[in-house]
Amino acid sequence: MRQRLAGKDYDEETVTTVIKQLKADNYLSEQRYAEAFLRSRMKRGETPWLAAQKARQKGADHRALEEVLGEINEAYDEPQAAREVLNMRDPAGFRFEDERVWQRQARFLRNKGYSSATILRVLKERSE
């Protein structure tokens, strides 16, 4: 935020005052950013750990991220999340007679961060 404001021809004193006020009003919060980022990525079907990796790459605060990740992991059910992602992608269900379709679904889940055990479990359930 400091870099963005400094690039707009504001003096250092004004930038410092604005940042202090934003922090005091809780508009500039690392924890809120981490939580919003993780929840946004999880709505797209990513696992919490993959979303956290991406948040780290974006520069999220490590402590805030770990705290939010701990809260999210308490209620997170990976197999159920994988089922929901597959249902969103193909609500009518897909055919497992074609192994290429099964492999495509497995790659899709793997790219979203799901473990191999979860992928096999969920895809096996769907094929039965």
Side-chain angles (χ1 to χ4, degrees):
M1 179 63 79
R2 182 175 299 281
Q3 291 171 347
R4 286 184 180 186
L5 290 174
K8 304 289 183 188
D9 295 329
Y10 295 113
D11 62 277
E12 186 63 31
E13 184 180 332
T14 303
V15 171
T16 302
T17 304
V18 168
I19 289 175
K20 283 182 182 177
Q21 188 61 44
L22 288 172
K23 285 183 179 180
D25 294 341
N26 201 26
Y27 288 120
L28 195 59
S29 167
E30 289 292 334
Q31 182 149 356
R32 284 181 50 202
Y33 171 76
E35 183 175 0
F37 190 90
L38 289 179
R39 296 214 184 273
S40 168
R41 300 306 288 203
M42 288 174 62
K43 281 184 182 178
R44 296 180 188 178
E46 292 180 359
T47 59
W49 75 266
L50 182 63
Q53 293 280 74
K54 291 182 179 182
R56 284 184 191 98
Q57 290 172 351
K58 295 280 186 181
D61 181 62
H62 179 71
R63 282 179 284 170
L65 192 58
E66 290 302 317
E67 187 175 322
V68 172
L69 195 55
E71 293 171 6
I72 288 174
N73 279 333
E74 288 178 11
Y76 185 70
D77 181 12
E78 187 175 67
Q80 183 58 35
R83 287 183 203 101
E84 290 172 7
V85 168
L86 287 177
N87 286 335
M88 284 187 335
R89 187 171 194 210
D90 186 16
F94 47 84
R95 297 187 186 116
F96 279 94
E97 295 82 37
D98 185 1
E99 186 158 332
R100 290 177 296 167
V101 174
W102 192 91
Q103 290 173 350
R104 191 176 320 128
Q105 297 296 343
R107 278 191 308 274
F108 171 75
L109 290 174
R110 189 70 196 152
N111 289 336
K112 294 289 185 180
Y114 293 94
S115 69
S116 298
T118 300
I119 293 169
L120 289 174
R121 177 178 167 191
V122 170
L123 291 179
K124 185 177 178 184
E125 288 171 2
R126 300 261 326 220
S127 66
E128 293 174 348

mmCIF file of all heavy atoms in Angstrom, residues 28-76:
data_model
loop_
_atom_site.group_PDB
_atom_site.id
_atom_site.type_symbol
_atom_site.label_atom_id
_atom_site.label_comp_id
_atom_site.label_asym_id
_atom_site.label_seq_id
_atom_site.Cartn_x
_atom_site.Cartn_y
_atom_site.Cartn_z
ATOM 1 N N LEU A 28 -6.930 -2.317 6.631
ATOM 2 C CA LEU A 28 -5.684 -2.849 6.121
ATOM 3 C C LEU A 28 -5.239 -3.954 7.076
ATOM 4 O O LEU A 28 -4.522 -3.724 8.032
ATOM 5 C CB LEU A 28 -4.632 -1.731 6.044
ATOM 6 C CG LEU A 28 -3.397 -1.998 5.223
ATOM 7 C CD1 LEU A 28 -3.767 -2.300 3.781
ATOM 8 C CD2 LEU A 28 -2.479 -0.786 5.256
ATOM 9 N N SER A 29 -5.716 -5.165 6.830
ATOM 10 C CA SER A 29 -5.478 -6.276 7.736
ATOM 11 C C SER A 29 -4.940 -7.469 6.950
ATOM 12 O O SER A 29 -5.576 -7.932 5.994
ATOM 13 C CB SER A 29 -6.785 -6.665 8.428
ATOM 14 O OG SER A 29 -6.663 -7.906 9.081
ATOM 15 N N GLU A 30 -3.788 -7.965 7.366
ATOM 16 C CA GLU A 30 -3.193 -9.141 6.716
ATOM 17 C C GLU A 30 -4.090 -10.360 6.894
ATOM 18 O O GLU A 30 -4.222 -11.184 5.995
ATOM 19 C CB GLU A 30 -1.802 -9.414 7.280
ATOM 20 C CG GLU A 30 -0.761 -8.416 6.863
ATOM 21 C CD GLU A 30 -0.425 -8.480 5.382
ATOM 22 O OE1 GLU A 30 -0.588 -9.533 4.745
ATOM 23 O OE2 GLU A 30 0.007 -7.439 4.856
ATOM 24 N N GLN A 31 -4.708 -10.476 8.049
ATOM 25 C CA GLN A 31 -5.557 -11.634 8.310
ATOM 26 C C GLN A 31 -6.794 -11.613 7.412
ATOM 27 O O GLN A 31 -7.182 -12.643 6.857
ATOM 28 C CB GLN A 31 -5.972 -11.682 9.775
ATOM 29 C CG GLN A 31 -6.806 -12.908 10.063
ATOM 30 C CD GLN A 31 -6.615 -13.411 11.454
ATOM 31 O OE1 GLN A 31 -5.800 -12.883 12.195
ATOM 32 N NE2 GLN A 31 -7.351 -14.426 11.806
ATOM 33 N N ARG A 32 -7.409 -10.459 7.260
ATOM 34 C CA ARG A 32 -8.579 -10.360 6.374
ATOM 35 C C ARG A 32 -8.200 -10.673 4.935
ATOM 36 O O ARG A 32 -8.940 -11.347 4.210
ATOM 37 C CB ARG A 32 -9.194 -8.969 6.465
ATOM 38 C CG ARG A 32 -9.989 -8.767 7.734
ATOM 39 C CD ARG A 32 -10.624 -7.413 7.821
ATOM 40 N NE ARG A 32 -11.345 -7.085 6.606
ATOM 41 C CZ ARG A 32 -11.631 -5.848 6.227
ATOM 42 N NH1 ARG A 32 -11.261 -4.829 6.956
ATOM 43 N NH2 ARG A 32 -12.288 -5.617 5.117
ATOM 44 N N TYR A 33 -7.042 -10.191 4.510
ATOM 45 C CA TYR A 33 -6.580 -10.482 3.149
ATOM 46 C C TYR A 33 -6.363 -11.977 2.966
ATOM 47 O O TYR A 33 -6.821 -12.561 1.982
ATOM 48 C CB TYR A 33 -5.284 -9.719 2.845
ATOM 49 C CG TYR A 33 -4.663 -10.146 1.540
ATOM 50 C CD1 TYR A 33 -5.187 -9.734 0.332
ATOM 51 C CD2 TYR A 33 -3.565 -10.994 1.521
ATOM 52 C CE1 TYR A 33 -4.635 -10.135 -0.873
ATOM 53 C CE2 TYR A 33 -3.001 -11.406 0.317
ATOM 54 C CZ TYR A 33 -3.543 -10.973 -0.871
ATOM 55 O OH TYR A 33 -2.990 -11.387 -2.052
ATOM 56 N N ALA A 34 -5.686 -12.606 3.928
ATOM 57 C CA ALA A 34 -5.400 -14.041 3.829
ATOM 58 C C ALA A 34 -6.696 -14.846 3.787
ATOM 59 O O ALA A 34 -6.844 -15.760 2.973
ATOM 60 C CB ALA A 34 -4.522 -14.488 4.992
ATOM 61 N N GLU A 35 -7.625 -14.499 4.655
ATOM 62 C CA GLU A 35 -8.889 -15.235 4.692
ATOM 63 C C GLU A 35 -9.673 -15.059 3.390
ATOM 64 O O GLU A 35 -10.182 -16.026 2.825
ATOM 65 C CB GLU A 35 -9.739 -14.779 5.867
ATOM 66 C CG GLU A 35 -11.026 -15.561 5.987
ATOM 67 C CD GLU A 35 -11.824 -15.197 7.223
ATOM 68 O OE1 GLU A 35 -11.396 -14.329 8.000
ATOM 69 O OE2 GLU A 35 -12.884 -15.817 7.405
ATOM 70 N N ALA A 36 -9.752 -13.839 2.907
ATOM 71 C CA ALA A 36 -10.486 -13.582 1.657
ATOM 72 C C ALA A 36 -9.826 -14.302 0.486
ATOM 73 O O ALA A 36 -10.517 -14.886 -0.359
ATOM 74 C CB ALA A 36 -10.550 -12.076 1.391
ATOM 75 N N PHE A 37 -8.508 -14.287 0.440
ATOM 76 C CA PHE A 37 -7.796 -14.947 -0.648
ATOM 77 C C PHE A 37 -8.036 -16.455 -0.618
ATOM 78 O O PHE A 37 -8.369 -17.059 -1.638
ATOM 79 C CB PHE A 37 -6.295 -14.647 -0.558
ATOM 80 C CG PHE A 37 -5.533 -15.097 -1.763
ATOM 81 C CD1 PHE A 37 -5.353 -14.244 -2.837
ATOM 82 C CD2 PHE A 37 -5.003 -16.384 -1.846
ATOM 83 C CE1 PHE A 37 -4.653 -14.652 -3.969
ATOM 84 C CE2 PHE A 37 -4.309 -16.806 -2.965
ATOM 85 C CZ PHE A 37 -4.137 -15.936 -4.031
ATOM 86 N N LEU A 38 -7.881 -17.071 0.572
ATOM 87 C CA LEU A 38 -8.077 -18.519 0.671
ATOM 88 C C LEU A 38 -9.510 -18.913 0.323
ATOM 89 O O LEU A 38 -9.730 -19.860 -0.431
ATOM 90 C CB LEU A 38 -7.723 -19.010 2.073
ATOM 91 C CG LEU A 38 -6.252 -18.994 2.444
ATOM 92 C CD1 LEU A 38 -6.060 -19.492 3.874
ATOM 93 C CD2 LEU A 38 -5.423 -19.810 1.492
ATOM 94 N N ARG A 39 -10.469 -18.213 0.861
ATOM 95 C CA ARG A 39 -11.871 -18.563 0.584
ATOM 96 C C ARG A 39 -12.211 -18.372 -0.902
ATOM 97 O O ARG A 39 -12.953 -19.178 -1.471
ATOM 98 C CB ARG A 39 -12.801 -17.756 1.462
ATOM 99 C CG ARG A 39 -12.607 -18.090 2.932
ATOM 100 C CD ARG A 39 -13.870 -18.015 3.728
ATOM 101 N NE ARG A 39 -13.622 -18.253 5.127
ATOM 102 C CZ ARG A 39 -13.600 -19.443 5.702
ATOM 103 N NH1 ARG A 39 -13.807 -20.519 4.973
ATOM 104 N NH2 ARG A 39 -13.373 -19.579 6.997
ATOM 105 N N SER A 40 -11.668 -17.354 -1.502
ATOM 106 C CA SER A 40 -11.894 -17.126 -2.927
ATOM 107 C C SER A 40 -11.347 -18.282 -3.761
ATOM 108 O O SER A 40 -12.020 -18.777 -4.677
ATOM 109 C CB SER A 40 -11.228 -15.812 -3.342
ATOM 110 O OG SER A 40 -11.180 -15.699 -4.732
ATOM 111 N N ARG A 41 -10.138 -18.703 -3.464
ATOM 112 C CA ARG A 41 -9.525 -19.806 -4.213
ATOM 113 C C ARG A 41 -10.245 -21.130 -3.933
ATOM 114 O O ARG A 41 -10.378 -21.966 -4.828
ATOM 115 C CB ARG A 41 -8.048 -19.937 -3.871
ATOM 116 C CG ARG A 41 -7.201 -18.714 -4.174
ATOM 117 C CD ARG A 41 -7.320 -18.256 -5.594
ATOM 118 N NE ARG A 41 -6.653 -19.149 -6.500
ATOM 119 C CZ ARG A 41 -6.224 -18.821 -7.700
ATOM 120 N NH1 ARG A 41 -6.384 -17.595 -8.145
ATOM 121 N NH2 ARG A 41 -5.630 -19.698 -8.461
ATOM 122 N N MET A 42 -10.705 -21.309 -2.704
ATOM 123 C CA MET A 42 -11.414 -22.552 -2.381
ATOM 124 C C MET A 42 -12.767 -22.612 -3.087
ATOM 125 O O MET A 42 -13.231 -23.691 -3.431
ATOM 126 C CB MET A 42 -11.562 -22.693 -0.868
ATOM 127 C CG MET A 42 -10.239 -23.014 -0.190
ATOM 128 S SD MET A 42 -10.327 -23.022 1.605
ATOM 129 C CE MET A 42 -11.490 -24.356 1.865
ATOM 130 N N LYS A 43 -13.391 -21.464 -3.321
ATOM 131 C CA LYS A 43 -14.651 -21.459 -4.072
ATOM 132 C C LYS A 43 -14.432 -21.920 -5.501
ATOM 133 O O LYS A 43 -15.339 -22.432 -6.141
ATOM 134 C CB LYS A 43 -15.264 -20.059 -4.078
ATOM 135 C CG LYS A 43 -15.966 -19.717 -2.810
ATOM 136 C CD LYS A 43 -16.622 -18.368 -2.911
ATOM 137 C CE LYS A 43 -17.291 -18.015 -1.604
ATOM 138 N NZ LYS A 43 -17.910 -16.686 -1.644
ATOM 139 N N ARG A 44 -13.223 -21.754 -5.991
ATOM 140 C CA ARG A 44 -12.872 -22.228 -7.335
ATOM 141 C C ARG A 44 -12.521 -23.705 -7.339
ATOM 142 O O ARG A 44 -12.182 -24.262 -8.377
ATOM 143 C CB ARG A 44 -11.684 -21.446 -7.872
ATOM 144 C CG ARG A 44 -11.944 -19.994 -8.067
ATOM 145 C CD ARG A 44 -10.714 -19.319 -8.593
ATOM 146 N NE ARG A 44 -10.876 -17.883 -8.610
ATOM 147 C CZ ARG A 44 -9.939 -17.057 -8.981
ATOM 148 N NH1 ARG A 44 -8.759 -17.504 -9.355
ATOM 149 N NH2 ARG A 44 -10.151 -15.768 -8.974
ATOM 150 N N GLY A 45 -12.550 -24.329 -6.166
ATOM 151 C CA GLY A 45 -12.304 -25.760 -6.085
ATOM 152 C C GLY A 45 -10.910 -26.144 -5.640
ATOM 153 O O GLY A 45 -10.582 -27.329 -5.610
ATOM 154 N N GLU A 46 -10.071 -25.186 -5.280
ATOM 155 C CA GLU A 46 -8.715 -25.515 -4.853
ATOM 156 C C GLU A 46 -8.709 -25.957 -3.390
ATOM 157 O O GLU A 46 -9.558 -25.552 -2.610
ATOM 158 C CB GLU A 46 -7.795 -24.302 -5.020
ATOM 159 C CG GLU A 46 -7.565 -23.944 -6.454
ATOM 160 C CD GLU A 46 -6.658 -22.743 -6.631
ATOM 161 O OE1 GLU A 46 -6.201 -22.162 -5.629
ATOM 162 O OE2 GLU A 46 -6.408 -22.390 -7.792
ATOM 163 N N THR A 47 -7.744 -26.771 -3.060
ATOM 164 C CA THR A 47 -7.578 -27.187 -1.672
ATOM 165 C C THR A 47 -6.961 -26.045 -0.879
ATOM 166 O O THR A 47 -6.307 -25.164 -1.447
ATOM 167 C CB THR A 47 -6.675 -28.426 -1.573
ATOM 168 O OG1 THR A 47 -5.397 -28.105 -2.138
ATOM 169 C CG2 THR A 47 -7.282 -29.621 -2.275
ATOM 170 N N PRO A 48 -7.136 -26.045 0.449
ATOM 171 C CA PRO A 48 -6.561 -24.966 1.262
ATOM 172 C C PRO A 48 -5.050 -24.842 1.122
ATOM 173 O O PRO A 48 -4.518 -23.742 1.061
ATOM 174 C CB PRO A 48 -6.950 -25.341 2.690
ATOM 175 C CG PRO A 48 -8.163 -26.171 2.555
ATOM 176 C CD PRO A 48 -7.986 -26.922 1.261
ATOM 177 N N TRP A 49 -4.345 -25.966 1.059
ATOM 178 C CA TRP A 49 -2.881 -25.864 0.993
ATOM 179 C C TRP A 49 -2.423 -25.271 -0.339
ATOM 180 O O TRP A 49 -1.463 -24.509 -0.393
ATOM 181 C CB TRP A 49 -2.196 -27.194 1.289
ATOM 182 C CG TRP A 49 -2.251 -28.212 0.193
ATOM 183 C CD1 TRP A 49 -3.157 -29.198 0.030
ATOM 184 C CD2 TRP A 49 -1.339 -28.327 -0.908
ATOM 185 N NE1 TRP A 49 -2.884 -29.919 -1.110
ATOM 186 C CE2 TRP A 49 -1.760 -29.404 -1.702
ATOM 187 C CE3 TRP A 49 -0.205 -27.620 -1.300
ATOM 188 C CZ2 TRP A 49 -1.112 -29.797 -2.861
ATOM 189 C CZ3 TRP A 49 0.445 -28.014 -2.459
ATOM 190 C CH2 TRP A 49 -0.006 -29.088 -3.225
ATOM 191 N N LEU A 50 -3.126 -25.587 -1.441
ATOM 192 C CA LEU A 50 -2.769 -25.000 -2.726
ATOM 193 C C LEU A 50 -3.089 -23.504 -2.744
ATOM 194 O O LEU A 50 -2.296 -22.691 -3.226
ATOM 195 C CB LEU A 50 -3.489 -25.705 -3.877
ATOM 196 C CG LEU A 50 -3.155 -25.200 -5.274
ATOM 197 C CD1 LEU A 50 -1.675 -25.417 -5.590
ATOM 198 C CD2 LEU A 50 -4.023 -25.885 -6.309
ATOM 199 N N ALA A 51 -4.238 -23.141 -2.179
ATOM 200 C CA ALA A 51 -4.606 -21.727 -2.080
ATOM 201 C C ALA A 51 -3.585 -20.976 -1.227
ATOM 202 O O ALA A 51 -3.216 -19.846 -1.545
ATOM 203 C CB ALA A 51 -6.006 -21.595 -1.497
ATOM 204 N N ALA A 52 -3.105 -21.609 -0.162
ATOM 205 C CA ALA A 52 -2.092 -20.978 0.700
ATOM 206 C C ALA A 52 -0.779 -20.793 -0.053
ATOM 207 O O ALA A 52 -0.109 -19.765 0.105
ATOM 208 C CB ALA A 52 -1.881 -21.809 1.958
ATOM 209 N N GLN A 53 -0.411 -21.765 -0.868
ATOM 210 C CA GLN A 53 0.804 -21.633 -1.680
ATOM 211 C C GLN A 53 0.700 -20.404 -2.586
ATOM 212 O O GLN A 53 1.640 -19.638 -2.723
ATOM 213 C CB GLN A 53 1.005 -22.879 -2.552
ATOM 214 C CG GLN A 53 1.320 -24.139 -1.802
ATOM 215 C CD GLN A 53 2.773 -24.182 -1.408
ATOM 216 O OE1 GLN A 53 3.204 -23.485 -0.512
ATOM 217 N NE2 GLN A 53 3.519 -25.014 -2.098
ATOM 218 N N LYS A 54 -0.445 -20.246 -3.217
ATOM 219 C CA LYS A 54 -0.644 -19.116 -4.113
ATOM 220 C C LYS A 54 -0.669 -17.792 -3.352
ATOM 221 O O LYS A 54 -0.178 -16.779 -3.841
ATOM 222 C CB LYS A 54 -1.912 -19.312 -4.925
ATOM 223 C CG LYS A 54 -1.765 -20.452 -5.920
ATOM 224 C CD LYS A 54 -2.979 -20.646 -6.769
ATOM 225 C CE LYS A 54 -2.720 -21.784 -7.753
ATOM 226 N NZ LYS A 54 -3.829 -22.006 -8.655
ATOM 227 N N ALA A 55 -1.230 -17.815 -2.141
ATOM 228 C CA ALA A 55 -1.243 -16.601 -1.313
ATOM 229 C C ALA A 55 0.179 -16.205 -0.923
ATOM 230 O O ALA A 55 0.516 -15.024 -0.919
ATOM 231 C CB ALA A 55 -2.092 -16.823 -0.067
ATOM 232 N N ARG A 56 1.013 -17.196 -0.624
ATOM 233 C CA ARG A 56 2.414 -16.908 -0.294
ATOM 234 C C ARG A 56 3.123 -16.275 -1.487
ATOM 235 O O ARG A 56 3.916 -15.358 -1.330
ATOM 236 C CB ARG A 56 3.130 -18.182 0.132
ATOM 237 C CG ARG A 56 2.786 -18.630 1.516
ATOM 238 C CD ARG A 56 3.616 -19.854 1.934
ATOM 239 N NE ARG A 56 3.077 -20.408 3.152
ATOM 240 C CZ ARG A 56 2.241 -21.445 3.214
ATOM 241 N NH1 ARG A 56 1.886 -22.075 2.114
ATOM 242 N NH2 ARG A 56 1.783 -21.875 4.375
ATOM 243 N N GLN A 57 2.829 -16.774 -2.671
ATOM 244 C CA GLN A 57 3.440 -16.212 -3.874
ATOM 245 C C GLN A 57 3.004 -14.767 -4.094
ATOM 246 O O GLN A 57 3.749 -13.964 -4.641
ATOM 247 C CB GLN A 57 3.070 -17.049 -5.105
ATOM 248 C CG GLN A 57 3.713 -18.405 -5.128
ATOM 249 C CD GLN A 57 3.193 -19.282 -6.257
ATOM 250 O OE1 GLN A 57 2.225 -18.932 -6.933
ATOM 251 N NE2 GLN A 57 3.835 -20.416 -6.462
ATOM 252 N N LYS A 58 1.784 -14.440 -3.655
ATOM 253 C CA LYS A 58 1.273 -13.076 -3.791
ATOM 254 C C LYS A 58 1.775 -12.163 -2.673
ATOM 255 O O LYS A 58 1.487 -10.974 -2.676
ATOM 256 C CB LYS A 58 -0.258 -13.074 -3.781
ATOM 257 C CG LYS A 58 -0.877 -13.771 -4.951
ATOM 258 C CD LYS A 58 -0.858 -12.868 -6.147
ATOM 259 C CE LYS A 58 -1.615 -13.514 -7.288
ATOM 260 N NZ LYS A 58 -1.609 -12.700 -8.464
ATOM 261 N N GLY A 59 2.480 -12.743 -1.685
ATOM 262 C CA GLY A 59 3.058 -11.921 -0.630
ATOM 263 C C GLY A 59 2.234 -11.829 0.635
ATOM 264 O O GLY A 59 2.430 -10.911 1.428
ATOM 265 N N ALA A 60 1.324 -12.755 0.867
ATOM 266 C CA ALA A 60 0.525 -12.737 2.093
ATOM 267 C C ALA A 60 1.426 -12.978 3.305
ATOM 268 O O ALA A 60 2.413 -13.702 3.221
ATOM 269 C CB ALA A 60 -0.570 -13.797 2.035
ATOM 270 N N ASP A 61 1.052 -12.361 4.413
ATOM 271 C CA ASP A 61 1.804 -12.504 5.653
ATOM 272 C C ASP A 61 1.733 -13.953 6.134
ATOM 273 O O ASP A 61 0.653 -14.540 6.219
ATOM 274 C CB ASP A 61 1.221 -11.571 6.722
ATOM 275 C CG ASP A 61 1.971 -11.652 8.022
ATOM 276 O OD1 ASP A 61 3.171 -11.330 8.028
ATOM 277 O OD2 ASP A 61 1.346 -12.052 9.028
ATOM 278 N N HIS A 62 2.903 -14.522 6.460
ATOM 279 C CA HIS A 62 3.000 -15.935 6.829
ATOM 280 C C HIS A 62 2.190 -16.250 8.089
ATOM 281 O O HIS A 62 1.458 -17.242 8.131
ATOM 282 C CB HIS A 62 4.464 -16.314 7.016
ATOM 283 C CG HIS A 62 4.675 -17.732 7.411
ATOM 284 N ND1 HIS A 62 4.471 -18.773 6.534
ATOM 285 C CD2 HIS A 62 5.045 -18.293 8.589
ATOM 286 C CE1 HIS A 62 4.710 -19.916 7.155
ATOM 287 N NE2 HIS A 62 5.068 -19.643 8.398
ATOM 288 N N ARG A 63 2.318 -15.423 9.114
ATOM 289 C CA ARG A 63 1.608 -15.695 10.381
ATOM 290 C C ARG A 63 0.099 -15.619 10.198
ATOM 291 O O ARG A 63 -0.631 -16.486 10.682
ATOM 292 C CB ARG A 63 2.060 -14.727 11.466
ATOM 293 C CG ARG A 63 3.406 -15.111 12.056
ATOM 294 C CD ARG A 63 3.810 -14.125 13.085
ATOM 295 N NE ARG A 63 4.270 -12.949 12.324
ATOM 296 C CZ ARG A 63 4.546 -11.781 12.831
ATOM 297 N NH1 ARG A 63 4.401 -11.573 14.109
ATOM 298 N NH2 ARG A 63 4.959 -10.795 12.075
ATOM 299 N N ALA A 64 -0.375 -14.599 9.513
ATOM 300 C CA ALA A 64 -1.814 -14.458 9.284
ATOM 301 C C ALA A 64 -2.335 -15.618 8.445
ATOM 302 O O ALA A 64 -3.403 -16.171 8.719
ATOM 303 C CB ALA A 64 -2.109 -13.132 8.589
ATOM 304 N N LEU A 65 -1.561 -16.022 7.471
ATOM 305 C CA LEU A 65 -1.954 -17.122 6.599
ATOM 306 C C LEU A 65 -2.048 -18.438 7.367
ATOM 307 O O LEU A 65 -3.009 -19.190 7.209
ATOM 308 C CB LEU A 65 -0.959 -17.238 5.459
ATOM 309 C CG LEU A 65 -1.316 -18.129 4.289
ATOM 310 C CD1 LEU A 65 -2.623 -17.686 3.661
ATOM 311 C CD2 LEU A 65 -0.213 -18.102 3.264
ATOM 312 N N GLU A 66 -1.073 -18.708 8.211
ATOM 313 C CA GLU A 66 -1.089 -19.942 9.004
ATOM 314 C C GLU A 66 -2.267 -19.969 9.969
ATOM 315 O O GLU A 66 -2.879 -21.018 10.179
ATOM 316 C CB GLU A 66 0.234 -20.108 9.757
ATOM 317 C CG GLU A 66 1.412 -20.418 8.863
ATOM 318 C CD GLU A 66 1.226 -21.675 8.027
ATOM 319 O OE1 GLU A 66 0.735 -22.692 8.562
ATOM 320 O OE2 GLU A 66 1.565 -21.644 6.835
ATOM 321 N N GLU A 67 -2.586 -18.827 10.560
ATOM 322 C CA GLU A 67 -3.717 -18.757 11.485
ATOM 323 C C GLU A 67 -5.030 -19.046 10.775
ATOM 324 O O GLU A 67 -5.844 -19.846 11.227
ATOM 325 C CB GLU A 67 -3.757 -17.378 12.138
ATOM 326 C CG GLU A 67 -4.781 -17.273 13.232
ATOM 327 C CD GLU A 67 -4.717 -15.935 13.934
ATOM 328 O OE1 GLU A 67 -3.598 -15.418 14.141
ATOM 329 O OE2 GLU A 67 -5.799 -15.418 14.274
ATOM 330 N N VAL A 68 -5.232 -18.420 9.637
ATOM 331 C CA VAL A 68 -6.459 -18.631 8.863
ATOM 332 C C VAL A 68 -6.516 -20.055 8.329
ATOM 333 O O VAL A 68 -7.561 -20.702 8.353
ATOM 334 C CB VAL A 68 -6.555 -17.601 7.707
ATOM 335 C CG1 VAL A 68 -7.701 -17.931 6.782
ATOM 336 C CG2 VAL A 68 -6.693 -16.203 8.263
ATOM 337 N N LEU A 69 -5.382 -20.560 7.885
ATOM 338 C CA LEU A 69 -5.321 -21.930 7.363
ATOM 339 C C LEU A 69 -5.688 -22.937 8.442
ATOM 340 O O LEU A 69 -6.388 -23.920 8.177
ATOM 341 C CB LEU A 69 -3.920 -22.203 6.811
ATOM 342 C CG LEU A 69 -3.731 -23.407 5.912
ATOM 343 C CD1 LEU A 69 -4.679 -23.370 4.738
ATOM 344 C CD2 LEU A 69 -2.302 -23.467 5.431
ATOM 345 N N GLY A 70 -5.237 -22.698 9.673
ATOM 346 C CA GLY A 70 -5.591 -23.583 10.782
ATOM 347 C C GLY A 70 -7.093 -23.614 11.028
ATOM 348 O O GLY A 70 -7.677 -24.677 11.257
ATOM 349 N N GLU A 71 -7.721 -22.445 10.965
ATOM 350 C CA GLU A 71 -9.174 -22.372 11.163
ATOM 351 C C GLU A 71 -9.917 -23.090 10.043
ATOM 352 O O GLU A 71 -10.894 -23.799 10.286
ATOM 353 C CB GLU A 71 -9.618 -20.911 11.228
ATOM 354 C CG GLU A 71 -9.115 -20.163 12.424
ATOM 355 C CD GLU A 71 -9.390 -18.665 12.336
ATOM 356 O OE1 GLU A 71 -10.088 -18.237 11.384
ATOM 357 O OE2 GLU A 71 -8.891 -17.938 13.200
ATOM 358 N N ILE A 72 -9.471 -22.901 8.829
ATOM 359 C CA ILE A 72 -10.145 -23.513 7.682
ATOM 360 C C ILE A 72 -9.976 -25.029 7.704
ATOM 361 O O ILE A 72 -10.923 -25.766 7.420
ATOM 362 C CB ILE A 72 -9.614 -22.907 6.362
ATOM 363 C CG1 ILE A 72 -10.134 -21.482 6.210
ATOM 364 C CG2 ILE A 72 -10.001 -23.755 5.164
ATOM 365 C CD1 ILE A 72 -9.579 -20.739 5.025
ATOM 366 N N ASN A 73 -8.780 -25.499 8.035
ATOM 367 C CA ASN A 73 -8.515 -26.935 8.025
ATOM 368 C C ASN A 73 -9.343 -27.703 9.049
ATOM 369 O O ASN A 73 -9.598 -28.892 8.870
ATOM 370 C CB ASN A 73 -7.032 -27.215 8.244
ATOM 371 C CG ASN A 73 -6.239 -27.055 6.969
ATOM 372 O OD1 ASN A 73 -6.755 -27.220 5.871
ATOM 373 N ND2 ASN A 73 -4.973 -26.720 7.118
ATOM 374 N N GLU A 74 -9.785 -27.035 10.124
ATOM 375 C CA GLU A 74 -10.603 -27.708 11.135
ATOM 376 C C GLU A 74 -11.914 -28.213 10.551
ATOM 377 O O GLU A 74 -12.400 -29.273 10.919
ATOM 378 C CB GLU A 74 -10.891 -26.763 12.302
ATOM 379 C CG GLU A 74 -9.694 -26.487 13.175
ATOM 380 C CD GLU A 74 -9.994 -25.504 14.286
ATOM 381 O OE1 GLU A 74 -11.190 -25.193 14.504
ATOM 382 O OE2 GLU A 74 -9.042 -25.055 14.935
ATOM 383 N N ALA A 75 -12.498 -27.449 9.654
ATOM 384 C CA ALA A 75 -13.807 -27.800 9.098
ATOM 385 C C ALA A 75 -13.721 -28.353 7.684
ATOM 386 O O ALA A 75 -14.747 -28.648 7.074
ATOM 387 C CB ALA A 75 -14.712 -26.575 9.114
ATOM 388 N N TYR A 76 -12.527 -28.515 7.144
ATOM 389 C CA TYR A 76 -12.373 -28.911 5.747
ATOM 390 C C TYR A 76 -12.445 -30.427 5.588
ATOM 391 O O TYR A 76 -11.754 -31.170 6.275
ATOM 392 C CB TYR A 76 -11.035 -28.391 5.205
ATOM 393 C CG TYR A 76 -10.841 -28.651 3.739
ATOM 394 C CD1 TYR A 76 -11.594 -27.984 2.797
ATOM 395 C CD2 TYR A 76 -9.899 -29.570 3.305
ATOM 396 C CE1 TYR A 76 -11.420 -28.215 1.447
ATOM 397 C CE2 TYR A 76 -9.710 -29.807 1.954
ATOM 398 C CZ TYR A 76 -10.481 -29.121 1.035
ATOM 399 O OH TYR A 76 -10.306 -29.360 -0.292
#
